Amino acid sequence: MTKNVLIVGAGPTGLVLALWLTKLGIPLRIIDKNQDAEQNSRAMIIHARTLEFYQQIGIAHEIVANGIIIEKINLWKNRQRLTSIYLGAFGKNLSPFPFLLSLPQDDHEKLLIHYLKQAGIEVERNTELVSLSQNDEKVTAFLKKENETEMLECAFLLGCDGASSTVRHALNIDFSGGTYSQLYYVADVMAEGNIANEDIHVNLHRNEFAIVFPVRSSGSLRLIGIVPKQYENKKNIQFDDVKSHAIQNTGLTISKVNWFSTYHSHHRVAEHFKKGRVFLLGDAAHIHSPVGGQGMNTGIGDAVNLSWKIASVIKKSAPFTILDTYETERMAFARRLVSTTDRAFQAITNIGLIGNFVRNIFFPIIFPFLTRFDCVKKFLFQTISQIKINYHHSALSSGKSGKIQGGDRLPWIRYNKIDNYQFLTHLDWQIHIYGTASNTFKKSIEHLNIKLHEFSWGEPVAQAGLKKNSIYLIRPDGYVGYTNSLQKCTTIKNYFGFYQEKKQCSG
């Protein structure tokens, strides 16, 4: 069987997928029908969970160095500041990256492409997927570049080719959902004003809102707002049509427009994320409202989830059936995300009583009061940053020790110069014990070929919800696969199941 993988689409999802597969030693090709990489800022926000994934492959710190760290969100009403949310305080002790990172998509992609080139992988531009077919052993794809057509056989084909996905259409997979009626604008501008700094600003004004955040270190800002009703049906809307509303909502003095576009927001989830040896990721699988800047980060989460599973199958260290967990894990999250962002989006933009309550009472009065409580701060950071994502109902999730159960993200713990995430760079299964591993257990797992890491017990570990001396079997993507309070090799052997012939306990 051929072992190479074809990735269709070289946006952030496809590029991260290629990086992880390359790190895992899987040969691949990545194609894109466009002549050039993204030229506009587009998706801007990188969340903590994505940066944790980047840390696993050694690129997080350079990514952060090229972006703008946003530690505060300011809420305004009629240009009067209501409250400030300090993300650093919200995410303290929860992640090594307790902030939002603003990094324009074009700059982001350039960095990812640079890392791929260092690994010997070039994006094949002007190359389009024409058709595909598959059987139990391989996928056959026909590619077109200029006037030449190529037939390619691969083990897996991964569709990261956006909302109008050719791969999804070729598989005849339904993409049900809908489109919001409200028209929005997005603009990157050069501007000055009392909110032109390195924070995010949410500005509420009557029945409108505008969001402002920094784009680049050069001083440009991103504006997102509602297109005034009198221009909704106008063809070829220009920034001048919305400029007065943007200024009124934000108080900015705008000197230059670098980029402007209008759009309708969609909410859709594909009927399937997998068919045979072909998979959908990112916008090809799910699209939703821009609330919380979740879209690109969710696609990157898809890429990480799928990459290690495909690598395991190709290396014959896991059965083909492990690939079914990609759809069950990521589709459940995508549907939940679409549902929650849909409700939030409609509440914020609603022009009726609900919208008035949200804009004039909840955000100005109730929300600032709620954010005084630590439990609310923690919940907000966990939700926005995507570190709260879990796979409790996955076939790969089992057991519970302390407050942590199979499917949870491994809590990040740093104390006494120990950081338990530093070992996740192995990109392989590993066992964590917080406390002491018995000599009997150490001896019994010697032949499992799974690294064991012991961490001293302490208050930060207890506060994270871990149980002393329990075993935590960690997946390559940093999620807990299995946990048990008993240090027995046989429990790990039984969990793996499909490893039984290869992984035998010595005691």
Side-chain angles (χ1 to χ4, degrees):
M1 182 189 78
T2 179
K3 293 185 177 181
N4 66 306
V5 171
L6 175 64
I7 299 173
V8 181
T13 298
L15 293 170
V16 172
L17 181 59
L19 276 170
W20 266 70
L21 286 171
T22 301
K23 289 283 186 180
L24 291 164
I26 303 303
L28 60 89
R29 290 174 63 179
I30 177 169
I31 66 170
D32 195 282
K33 65 182 181 181
N34 297 313
Q35 181 176 346
D36 300 303
E38 181 60 58
Q39 300 297 308
N40 296 312
S41 57
R42 294 192 179 274
M44 293 286 304
I45 298 298
I46 302 178
H47 288 301
R49 190 63 182 129
T50 297
L51 292 172
E52 291 174 359
F53 290 140
Y54 284 176
Q55 187 179 50
Q56 287 190 253
I57 56 174
I59 66 173
H61 293 298
E62 190 173 356
I63 292 286
V64 171
N66 279 272
I68 298 173
I69 292 176
I70 298 174
E71 294 186 326
K72 186 168 64 174
I73 300 176
N74 298 296
L75 184 64
W76 299 72
K77 173 71 174 177
N78 296 330
R79 289 163 59 171
Q80 297 294 315
R81 192 197 305 262
L82 299 174
T83 188
S84 295
I85 302 170
Y86 292 88
L87 297 171
F90 282 29
K92 184 180 179 181
N93 299 326
L94 295 177
S95 172
F97 307 99
F99 50 79
L100 299 178
L101 185 73
S102 177
L103 182 64
Q105 184 173 330
D106 50 346
D107 291 346
H108 188 180
E109 288 188 13
K110 286 175 185 175
L111 286 168
L112 297 176
I113 291 168
H114 169 70
Y115 300 134
L116 271 180
K117 285 183 178 179
Q118 287 184 325
I121 304 295
E122 293 276 352
V123 177
E124 300 176 38
R125 298 283 175 188
N126 290 321
T127 305
E128 187 173 359
L129 175 70
V130 178
S131 63
L132 66 89
S133 61
Q134 61 176 316
N135 56 34
D136 291 342
E137 297 297 322
K138 64 186 179 182
V139 180
T140 302
F142 286 89
L143 311 180
K144 183 179 180 181
K145 184 171 184 177
E146 296 177 351
N147 294 322
E148 296 183 2
T149 301
E150 172 190 0
M151 185 187 77
L152 170 68
E153 293 183 344
C154 53
F156 299 99
L157 189 150
L158 314 177
C160 308
D161 50 342
S164 58
S165 172
T166 300
V167 176
R168 191 184 64 247
H169 286 295
L171 297 176
N172 195 29
I173 291 177
D174 183 58
F175 200 36
S176 60
T179 303
Y180 299 105
S181 59
Q182 183 66 62
L183 184 65
Y184 298 88
Y185 70 83
V186 56
D188 289 351
V189 302
M190 303 299 295
E192 295 179 351
N194 64 335
I195 66 171
N197 53 40
E198 295 184 353
D199 297 338
I200 288 180
H201 302 272
V202 180
N203 304 271
L204 305 173
H205 187 81
R206 295 179 187 152
N207 289 326
E208 300 177 10
F209 74 92
I211 301 173
V212 183
F213 50 89
V215 177
R216 306 179 199 276
S217 56
S218 59
S220 64
L221 298 172
R222 163 68 60 85
L223 304 181
I224 299 174
I226 299 175
V227 173
K229 278 199 168 293
Q230 63 264 37
Y231 299 112
E232 282 184 346
N233 298 319
K234 179 183 176 182
K235 293 183 179 180
N236 194 27
I237 297 172
Q238 301 297 314
F239 182 73
D240 284 344
D241 296 320
V242 303
K243 184 176 180 179
S244 62
H245 289 263
I247 293 172
Q248 182 183 44
N249 289 343
T250 65
L252 292 171
T253 300
I254 299 170
S255 57
K256 182 181 178 182
V257 180
N258 297 321
W259 175 62
F260 174 78
S261 182
T262 59
Y263 65 95
H264 285 281
S265 186
H266 304 267
H267 49 108
R268 301 178 185 276
V269 179
E271 181 183 16
H272 296 288
F273 287 10
K274 169 186 179 292
K275 185 172 283 189
R277 292 178 169 272
V278 183
F279 297 79
L280 300 176
L281 302 88
D283 286 354
H286 46 78
I287 52 176
H288 37 79
S289 81
V291 169
Q294 301 292 314
M296 179 184 67
N297 293 273
T298 303
I300 290 171
D302 294 344
V304 174
N305 185 287
L306 182 59
S307 59
W308 68 268
K309 295 173 182 177
I310 279 184
S312 298
V313 172
I314 289 176
K315 294 176 180 179
K316 298 184 178 179
S317 62
F320 191 87
T321 52
I322 197 174
L323 298 175
D324 293 336
T325 65
Y326 165 70
E327 179 172 284
T328 56
E329 290 179 357
R330 297 307 294 176
M331 181 180 284
F333 172 64
R335 285 177 171 166
R336 187 164 61 250
L337 179 64
V338 166
S339 175
T340 54
T341 58
D342 181 56
R343 289 196 296 269
F345 192 69
Q346 292 197 55
I348 294 170
T349 61
N350 189 286
I351 61 174
L353 291 176
I354 294 176
N356 285 330
F357 171 80
V358 170
R359 289 188 296 270
N360 299 313
I361 298 177
F362 178 78
F363 276 121
I365 301 171
I366 300 175
F367 186 73
F369 172 76
L370 291 175
T371 55
R372 297 176 184 177
F373 299 97
D374 289 341
C375 60
V376 174
K377 295 177 183 178
K378 181 178 179 180
F379 176 80
L380 284 173
F381 182 82
Q382 288 176 323
T383 302
I384 294 172
S385 66
Q386 297 200 351
I387 67 172
K388 196 175 176 65
I389 293 172
N390 68 71
Y391 304 132
H392 290 165
H393 301 294
S394 170
L396 294 178
S397 302
S398 180
K400 183 175 182 179
S401 297
K403 296 180 181 178
I404 305 303
Q405 67 183 86
D408 282 331
R409 160 188 167 271
L410 175 69
W412 174 69
I413 299 168
R414 184 176 64 183
Y415 73 107
N416 295 337
K417 298 182 180 180
I418 296 174
D419 184 340
N420 64 338
Y421 270 31
Q422 65 181 305
F423 301 104
L424 299 184
T425 57
H426 298 321
L427 303 186
D428 201 356
W429 291 89
Q430 56 192 267
I431 298 170
H432 286 200
I433 291 181
Y434 297 83
T436 304
S438 70
N439 290 330
T440 301
F441 181 70
K442 289 180 181 178
K443 183 176 177 60
S444 70
I445 64 171
E446 286 178 350
H447 303 290
L448 291 185
N449 195 29
I450 300 177
K451 287 183 169 57
L452 168 65
H453 300 290
E454 290 181 81
F455 304 88
S456 60
W457 185 259
E459 185 60 26
V461 184
Q463 289 179 352
L466 295 157
K467 187 175 181 180
K468 189 174 183 179
N469 299 334
S470 293
I471 59 174
Y472 294 92
L473 181 62
I474 312 303
R475 303 174 1 166
D477 56 1
Y479 287 88
V480 177
Y482 170 74
T483 179
N484 196 309
S485 59
L486 300 177
Q487 293 184 17
K488 287 188 176 181
C489 175
T490 52
T491 64
I492 298 175
K493 173 190 169 185
N494 291 338
Y495 166 81
F496 276 110
F498 47 82
Y499 282 93
Q500 286 185 9
E501 292 184 4
K502 295 183 179 181
K503 296 185 181 295
Q504 299 295 330
C505 301
S506 60

